Amino acid sequence: MLVETRQMVPITRLQKELTQTVRDLSDSGNAVFILKNNNMEAVLLSYSEYEYLKEIEEIYEQFEIKNSIESRLKKYNPKNNIPWEKIREEI
């Protein structure tokens, strides 16, 4: 992933300029990449972008569940079902 250097902020500078950084983020919508010891440590992004990513995550999870169900249904054989009455007798 390529990140523009103007979007990178050392954590010490962020501590001093947090209010202005949040204002800039709100105005531009561009994420801020936080550096700690010259390594990417965190990302600050707008709340709307966060909500969007959470929605995508939920949709992806639903697709995973759908694929899992379809996979299980391919292996499903109704002849292997055990009648409820038989289960009750064994209890």
Side-chain angles (χ1 to χ4, degrees), residues 9-11 34-42:
V9 177
I11 197 162
I34 303 168
L35 301 173
K36 182 178 178 183
N37 299 324
N38 290 327
N39 292 317
M40 292 282 192
E41 192 67 29

Side-chain angles (χ1 to χ4, degrees), residues 4 6 8-9 11 15 18 28 33 35 37-38 40 43 45 50 53 58 68-69 71 73-74 78-79 82 86:
E4 294 184 28
R6 63 184 169 86
M8 295 181 193
V9 177
I11 197 162
Q15 290 170 335
L18 181 61
S28 70
F33 298 87
L35 301 173
N37 299 324
N38 290 327
M40 292 282 192
V43 179
L45 47 102
Y50 172 79
L53 292 173
E58 188 175 319
S68 177
I69 291 170
S71 172
L73 284 174
K74 287 178 184 176
K79 293 179 183 177
I82 301 172
K86 185 174 182 178

Side-chain angles (χ1 to χ4, degrees), residues 62-74:
Q62 291 172 0
F63 275 120
E64 284 183 323
I65 292 168
K66 175 187 167 285
N67 290 339
S68 177
I69 291 170
E70 287 175 348
S71 172
R72 290 179 183 186
L73 284 174
K74 287 178 184 176

Side-chain angles (χ1 to χ4, degrees), residues 1-17:
M1 173 180 183
L2 295 175
V3 177
E4 294 184 28
T5 54
R6 63 184 169 86
Q7 289 179 275
M8 295 181 193
V9 177
I11 197 162
T12 52
R13 191 173 101 204
L14 180 65
Q15 290 170 335
K16 296 174 188 173
E17 302 172 2

Side-chain angles (χ1 to χ4, degrees), residues 73 75-83:
L73 284 174
K75 300 172 189 173
Y76 173 70
N77 184 352
K79 293 179 183 177
N80 294 335
N81 289 354
I82 301 172

